Structure formats: C-alpha cells, structure tokens
Amino acid sequence: MTYLDLRAAVVATLREVAPEIDPSLLRDAVPLRKQVDLDSMDWLVFLVGLHDRLHVDIPEADYGKLVTLADLVAYLAARTPQEGTASSGL
Amino acid sequence: MSDFLLPSLGADMDTGMITDWYPEPGSHVSRGEVIGVVETAKGAIDLEIWVDGTIGDLLVKKGVSLPVGTVLATVTEAGEAASAADGTGADFPSPDAAHPAGAVEPPTIVLGPPPLARPAESRRHVTPAARKLARDLGVDSDHLVGTGPDGSVSMTDVERAHTEAGPPASAGEGPPMDIRSAIAAAMSRSKREIPHYYLAETIPMDAALDWLASANGGRPISDRLLAAVLQLKAVAVALRDFPELNGFYRDGVFTAVPAAHIGVAISLRQGGLIAPAIHDVADKSLEQLMHDLTDLVRRARSGSVRSSEFADPTITVTNLGEQGVETVFGVIHPPQVALVGFGRVVERPWVVDATVGVARVVTASLSADHRVSDGGRGARFLRAVSERLQRPEDLDIPPRRSST
C-alpha cells in the first residue's frame, strides 16, 4: 500500500468513529486528537477499526507514538505487508 | 388484556413519537422483544415489551408526537387472565419494590429488568452518519435497502431515498422537543428540587493503571479494557455499603435499589448528552463491562438505545477527564440521588512514607442529594471508591449472582 492508500484507509476508519469530520480539513502533522473530538472509547474503537481493516495490532504501549495522522500512517506502513516495497525498518 | 402504554424513559420525557412498529395484530411477542422505535428528545430508542403475549388492537399512531401514557396497543398476556390492568402500566411487572406505584412524573411506567438475552438484531444496521442524515431529511432509515458493508444503510442510501421520495411526509405535530430542551427541563428540575452537596477526593491511580497496562498487554486490541470500566466497577461495588446513594427519590420518599444500574454519561456527536444504564454493574466481570460499555456508546451514538436502559439508572457516572478537566461537579439526574464524576488522570507530586514522588491521580467527585444522605456518608463513599481502586485485581472477579 502506498502512503496515500494507507492514509485513505486511516481517514475512512476515522470517519466511522467521527462521521462529522471533513476529511479535506485534516492536517497530517497536527495532533489528531486536537483536530477530532476523540475520547478514549472513540480512540479504542478507531484502533480496532484499523485492526479489522489492515490486520495490524497496535499494542497499548505504542499509543503514545501515534499522535498525528502522519505518525499513524508511518506506523502502519511499517507493519502492513508490503508488495515490492522495502520495509521501512522501524 | 392489558394496555401497552408509551413509557416515560426518564424525567425529561413528556412526549415521544413512534417511528416504527413491528408486530401486527395477532402477532406473538416475547418478553424483552423490541417492538418498535420511539423518537424522543434523546434520540431514537428501541421500545421493548415486558410480557409474553399476543398483540390485540393496534392503536399506535406513527409519526405523531404522543404524550407519555398513550395506549399504543392492547396485549393479551400468555396463559394469564388480566392480573393487573389498572391502566397505569401494571403490565410492566416491577422487578423490585424500588418503584412505588404512582410516580412524580407524568405516569412513569416502570419497565422490568433487562432481558436475559437480547433477541436477534431486529433492525438493519444504519451507520450513525446515515441515521443523522435521515433524521435531518425526514427519511425513514430503517426501511431502506442498504448497499453498505453487510447490507448496512449508508449516507448514500439515505440520500438516494430522499431524492426518490421527494419532500418528506409531514411529521404530524412535529418532532418531540430537541435534546437541548430536554436537558434544560431535567436539569432545571434537578436544581429546583434537589439540595445538592458536593465532595471531591484525589485518588491515586498508579495501582489501577499499572494493573490495567499489564492486563491489556496480553490482550488482543478488541479485548482491551479502559480505565473507565475499573472506575465504574469500583463505584458499583462501593455502593453496596451506601444504599442511600443508589436509588430513586419520588413523591418525597427515597427507595434504595439493591442493584447498581449505572447511567453512563455519553456525549453525542451532534451535541447533547444522554446517560443510559449498564445494568447490574457490581455483578459483572470487567470484560463484560467493557463489552457493555462499548456496545452502549456505539448504540447511543447511532440512536438505538433500548427503553429499559433509559428507564432505570439508579446513579450516574460521568467522566469528563476525556475533555481535559481535572474535576467535574455534576448535576444529579432526577429521580436519582447521586452522581459520581471522574476527571482527567494527571501526574502530581505525591507523598508516600514521607517521601515526595510522582503519582498519577484522578479527582473523583460526588454530587448527592441532601434529602437522602449527608456529607459524612458521602465522604466515606468516596474513600471506599478510592480503596477499591487500590486493589484492581479484586475488581476483576468473574460474574456472580448478587447476594443481596
């Protein structure tokens, strides 16, 4: 998956939790929870949604690394089966 | 033959509008079955029936705002001849003595305990966004053909139906009052009638959060627990020793309820707040509570809360820590007599054995009704909640039957 594919998957999952967001206004480098009203339940449902969609299990210990949309996409890219792409080695 | 009445689902409900009705005359209905949907200020609520029987005459008028207590249908109860049909909702057997007949609110109807098992999903899944859009456009989202995943109804389906249907049918006398008016009515009544007192206690959370991190470490993401379930369980278990905080105050009389049916304050994305109940919290495992909480939040936001969940919360817990504040002093939801609030978990200097260290702490608050309890007892209750949270492993008991 490309960065844009993964980003689209993340945004689509986010919209299931927070249908009111306008995806065109999301900024990749700004903390996600400053842009979208997500409580801890929403966050967990969001991560479960990512797991269901991309089959990546995100341990609780890693939550702190996942602040921005860019963080999430990079984290998922390193853990999603890549076809013809070198692993980023994270 | 008894009457099935439009129930009052909380002190803030005077009217409701039936938007869906499933059983035909002559249909058999089972206790706990969802037989329709009532649109209230709090959103769409699944209406459950509490008797086994056969539907007689259908008197329900759909799409019209009806006062609480309106007869919706007659029901012939299975294997039983008119045991109690006094017209005040006696066809809903009272689960315990906690609900005196004749209530303060316009005919408050006491719904029975929750069904042991929920009948199969009686409605197709409608995504929250689609439900919201459908409501705004006046489209009946429950009877659309869904083209989303697993046949779910998506915004696209709603938009198409709206386009095809043309202008929506007139909504009778209009929808019930909006959620802001409903909150205003209930909270004004609370502040007018309930002499609140407020207490707060700082609770160390290291033990609970360390236990939680360890417990979640071995779990797949779909089974992970939130700190909120530890807090709910701690409140429920502590309440066993403080019956004066758990129950209903009606007509000048307080009635304690043995079971802790905790109303969980859930903010809605379109604005507003509802607090439907998780039943029997003290008797459930943390896994079960997490499942129930996740399910309740999902359904609250998609507008498919069940009538029993609104009818009988015995206390409310609110967690405003998610919004970043350290302390919340809540307003009691009548006819309840207490509300527990949890703030944000923060790191603070903390003294243990004469040594200052850093600890994660949370401020728990209690708003309680001075007609029923006093500050001394309230203070001891908050201490008890704190003590329970210091032994999180004890909160993780398997489900068992209540001994009281």
Side-chain angles (χ1 to χ4, degrees):
Chain A
M1 282 207 208
T2 66
Y3 181 93
L4 285 178
D5 289 339
L6 273 177
R7 188 184 185 283
V10 171
V11 170
T13 310
L14 189 61
R15 284 200 81 185
E16 290 168 5
V17 181
E20 75 282 3
I21 60 169
D22 179 347
S24 66
L25 297 180
L26 284 176
R27 290 156 65 195
D28 289 26
V30 175
L32 198 57
R33 286 166 88 164
K34 281 194 177 172
Q35 304 182 74
V36 184
D37 180 15
L38 297 175
D39 62 22
S40 57
M41 173 66 76
D42 298 326
W43 178 253
L44 186 59
V45 170
F46 170 56
L47 295 186
V48 169
L50 287 177
H51 175 258
D52 291 346
R53 198 182 281 254
L54 301 169
H55 311 290
V56 175
D57 192 11
I58 303 175
E60 201 174 49
D62 285 352
Y63 289 5
K65 298 177 193 167
L66 307 173
V67 177
T68 66
L69 196 53
D71 294 340
L72 270 162
V73 175
Y75 183 94
L76 294 167
R79 286 160 183 81
T80 311
Q82 305 283 311
E83 286 155 36
T85 314
S87 162
S88 71
L90 272 180
Chain B
M1 187 78 77
S2 57
D3 293 337
F4 180 76
L5 310 179
L6 178 64
S8 171
L9 305 171
D12 50 2
M13 175 172 163
D14 299 321
T15 62
M17 185 168 74
I18 302 296
T19 55
D20 286 290
W21 183 269
Y22 306 129
E24 300 292 327
S27 308
H28 178 75
V29 290
S30 307
R31 181 181 164 77
E33 183 175 333
V34 174
I35 57 168
V37 178
V38 57
E39 182 75 29
T40 73
K42 287 180 285 209
I45 299 172
D46 285 345
L47 202 54
E48 295 154 286
I49 193 159
W50 292 105
V51 293
D52 292 318
T54 306
I55 296 289
D57 297 326
L58 274 192
L59 304 165
V60 58
K61 275 198 283 258
K62 289 210 281 187
V64 178
S65 186
L66 303 169
V68 162
T70 302
V71 178
L72 302 177
T74 59
V75 185
T76 306
E77 291 183 41
E80 192 213 341
S83 65
D86 58 18
T88 57
D91 47 335
F92 300 88
S94 181
D96 52 47
H99 312 292
V104 212
E105 294 93 27
T108 292
I109 288 158
V110 173
L111 299 183
L116 291 174
R118 182 158 193 239
E121 199 71 43
S122 51
R123 287 197 277 157
R124 163 184 15 256
H125 179 65
V126 183
T127 67
R131 188 174 292 278
K132 166 86 164 61
L133 181 67
R135 198 173 297 155
D136 292 346
L137 296 178
V139 171
D140 180 359
S141 58
D142 292 329
H143 291 105
L144 296 182
V145 176
T147 59
D150 297 329
S152 65
V153 175
S154 68
M155 291 176 77
T156 315
D157 297 324
V158 174
E159 280 161 359
R160 189 176 53 241
H162 179 61
T163 312
E164 287 169 1
S170 164
E173 294 159 34
M177 60 180 174
D178 65 23
I179 193 162
R180 184 49 43 199
S181 311
I183 292 170
M187 295 297 99
S188 299
R189 181 182 150 203
S190 174
K191 284 288 188 172
R192 197 165 54 238
E193 296 179 4
I194 302 177
H196 289 62
Y197 68 88
Y198 306 94
L199 305 170
E201 169 74 1
T202 304
I203 298 179
M205 286 296 284
D206 280 333
L209 295 175
D210 287 347
W211 181 88
L212 201 60
S214 160
N216 281 343
R219 287 170 197 270
I221 191 161
S222 49
D223 292 346
R224 269 175 222 161
L225 305 173
L226 292 173
V229 301
L230 283 175
Q231 294 171 341
L232 284 174
K233 184 72 180 282
V235 167
V237 173
L239 276 172
R240 285 175 175 155
D241 297 327
F242 297 87
E244 67 267 53
L245 298 175
N246 190 58
F248 306 110
Y249 189 95
R250 288 184 174 131
D251 287 342
V253 177
F254 172 70
T255 312
V257 176
H261 303 316
I262 298 187
V264 182
I266 299 170
S267 58
L268 302 179
R269 293 209 162 265
Q270 65 269 32
L273 176 76
I274 59 174
I278 296 178
H279 293 106
D280 299 306
V281 173
D283 297 327
K284 286 179 175 164
S285 68
L286 295 176
E287 285 77 9
Q288 182 67 43
L289 286 177
M290 185 66 205
H291 171 270
D292 289 2
L293 181 64
T294 308
D295 181 55
L296 191 63
V297 171
R298 180 183 64 74
R299 287 188 293 105
R301 292 191 170 150
S302 65
S304 56
V305 175
R306 295 193 280 272
S307 48
S308 59
E309 293 165 332
F310 275 122
D312 64 356
T314 55
I315 188 171
T316 297
V317 170
T318 184
N319 191 329
L320 269 181
E322 302 284 352
Q323 268 72 41
V325 294
E326 280 187 49
T327 312
V328 48
F329 293 106
V331 181
I332 298 166
H333 197 104
Q336 297 162 40
V337 296
L339 179 145
V340 178
F342 288 97
R344 179 166 50 110
V345 175
V346 291
E347 291 189 332
R348 286 286 176 268
W350 197 253
V351 178
V352 178
D353 295 333
T355 305
V356 180
V358 175
R360 288 168 294 176
V361 301
V362 71
T363 304
S365 68
L366 172 72
S367 307
D369 186 336
H370 227 322
R371 295 172 300 183
V372 183
S373 65
D374 300 315
R377 288 286 289 164
R380 285 166 64 185
F381 167 72
L382 281 183
R383 292 291 307 169
V385 172
S386 179
E387 284 159 18
R388 298 285 178 181
L389 283 168
Q390 306 318 307
R391 299 193 308 275
E393 63 282 359
D394 291 351
L395 294 173
D396 191 30
I397 56 162
R400 62 182 183 82
R401 295 308 310 155
S402 170
S403 57
T404 45

